[in-house]
Amino acid sequence: MRTPIMAGNWKMYKTIQEALAFVDAVKEPLKTYPQAEKAICAGFVTLAPLAEALKDTQIKLGAQDMFWEEQGAYTGEVAPTMLQGICDLVIIGHSERRQHFCESNDTVNKKIKAALAHGLTPIVCVGESLDQNQAGETAAFVGEQVKAAFDGISAGQAAGIVVAYEPIWAIGTGLAATPEEANRIIGTVVRGTLTSLYGQDTAQSIRIQYGGSIKPDNVEALMKQPEIDGGLVGGASLKPEDFITLVRAAAQSAAR
Ligand code: PGA
C-alpha cells in the first residue's frame, strides 16, 4: 500500500510572513489526517523559517529546485548541501523550469542523483505539452522523460523517488486531466515505464502524483483513482482551507 502524498507547490508566491501565517492556520487541522503525507514546497528564502515553524508537525518541507554541485562559483544557485537538514524534499524538473530555465532531461537526472546523495526525496515532474497531447505523442514523450530521469538510478534508490505526472496543458489553466485519463497515463506510461526499468515490485512501490489544476472540487475524484498517489498542487495549495480539503481527500483515498 502506497501512502499518498499531497504536496503544495507554492511557486513564486508567499513572503516569509505569509508562509508562517499559512502554517499557523493548517498545522492543527492537518493533524486529523495522518493517513496522508503532506508537504509544502516553498521559495528558498522562506525555507529556514518554515523549517523552524514545522518542527513539531507532520508537515514535510520541500524546495522547488536546486543545483547539483555541492558548492562552487555558481552565482545565484542553491546547493543540495544548503537544503540538507532544512528540507525533506525537492521538486526536480518542474515544467516551468524546463520551459523558462533551460532544464533538460540531462540536468534533471543530475539533480535527482544529487538530491538522493544528500538525503532529499526528489519529486520528479514529467508531462507533455498540449501539442504533444493532441498529436498523440503523450506516451512516447512522457515515457522518454521517465527513462531519462531514472538513468543510472538503482531500484533501491528509485523506490524512494516520487514522480509527479503533470500535463503542461493542465497546469494553472483550470483544465485538469479527467481522473480516468490521469489514472491511465500514470498507470500505463509512468508506472509502465518504471516496471520495464525496475520490475513489478519496485514500480508498484513508487509513488506517482497527479498535478495540474487540482482543486477542492475535483480532488476527490482524482484521489480515488488507484494509480494516483496524491497530488502536486499549485494554485489551490496557497489557501489554508483549500489545502486542508486536498489533504483530507488524499487521506480518505488511503483509507479505502
Ligand atoms: P496548478 O499547478 O495546481 O496551479 O495547476 C500545479 C503545478 O505546477 O505543480
Side-chain angles (χ1 to χ4, degrees):
M1 186 70 208
R2 301 180 293 263
T3 304
I5 170 166
M6 186 56 72
N9 171 14
W10 282 354
K11 308 193 179 186
M12 205 174 70
Y13 293 97
K14 292 202 190 289
T15 61
I16 293 173
Q17 262 181 338
E18 290 164 347
L20 294 177
F22 179 98
V23 170
D24 264 348
V26 302
K27 70 179 177 196
E28 281 306 312
L30 287 186
K31 284 185 183 162
T32 322
Y33 309 112
Q35 306 89 338
E37 214 171 292
K38 37 249 167 212
I40 292 165
C41 301
F44 285 127
V45 295
T46 58
L47 291 175
L50 274 174
E52 188 60 29
L54 294 174
K55 223 169 33 197
D56 298 319
T57 74
Q58 296 296 308
I59 307 166
K60 298 198 166 163
L61 183 60
Q64 299 171 8
D65 181 39
M66 58 164 218
F67 196 49
W68 59 81
E69 294 288 351
E70 295 212 333
Q71 56 177 13
Y74 300 103
T75 302
E77 287 297 315
V78 172
T81 45
M82 297 171 183
L83 299 179
Q84 229 172 355
I86 296 178
C87 290
D88 309 287
L89 305 134
V90 55
I91 297 174
I92 306 281
H94 189 280
S95 63
E96 285 153 13
R97 298 219 55 90
R98 294 183 192 251
Q99 197 181 338
H100 305 303
F101 302 97
C102 305
E103 291 276 1
S104 66
N105 281 342
D106 183 47
T107 61
V108 166
N109 178 253
K110 285 192 169 112
K111 290 181 178 189
I112 294 170
K113 287 175 177 157
L116 293 169
H118 292 86
L120 297 160
T121 298
I123 298 182
V124 181
C125 301
V126 296
E128 82 286 2
S129 67
L130 185 59
D131 284 352
Q132 289 164 331
N133 184 282
Q134 289 176 342
E137 293 165 4
T138 299
F141 182 77
V142 173
E144 191 48 45
Q145 282 185 319
V146 173
K147 267 193 214 142
F150 282 80
D151 186 45
I153 287 170
S154 71
Q157 290 175 313
I161 294 176
V162 176
V163 181
Y165 168 60
E166 299 203 301
I168 298 171
W169 48 268
I171 296 177
T173 59
L175 195 78
T178 63
E180 294 73 21
E181 182 62 1
N183 188 66
R184 189 180 72 78
I185 301 295
I186 287 176
T188 60
V189 180
V190 182
R191 206 178 302 286
T193 304
L194 293 170
T195 306
S196 72
L197 294 175
Y198 298 110
Q200 188 82 2
D201 285 358
T202 300
Q204 285 299 324
S205 71
I206 297 174
R207 292 181 296 174
I208 308 174
Q209 300 169 310
Y210 166 76
S213 295
I214 297 182
K215 305 274 181 235
D217 63 4
N218 64 13
V219 67
E220 263 185 57
L222 285 160
M223 293 306 114
K224 274 189 183 142
Q225 296 293 325
E227 294 287 354
I228 301 181
D229 308 316
L232 184 59
V233 188
S237 74
L238 294 168
K239 285 197 202 143
E241 60 277 20
D242 286 355
F243 190 62
I244 293 164
T245 304
L246 304 179
V247 170
R248 184 193 321 139
Q252 283 167 350
S253 77
R256 58 165 190 244

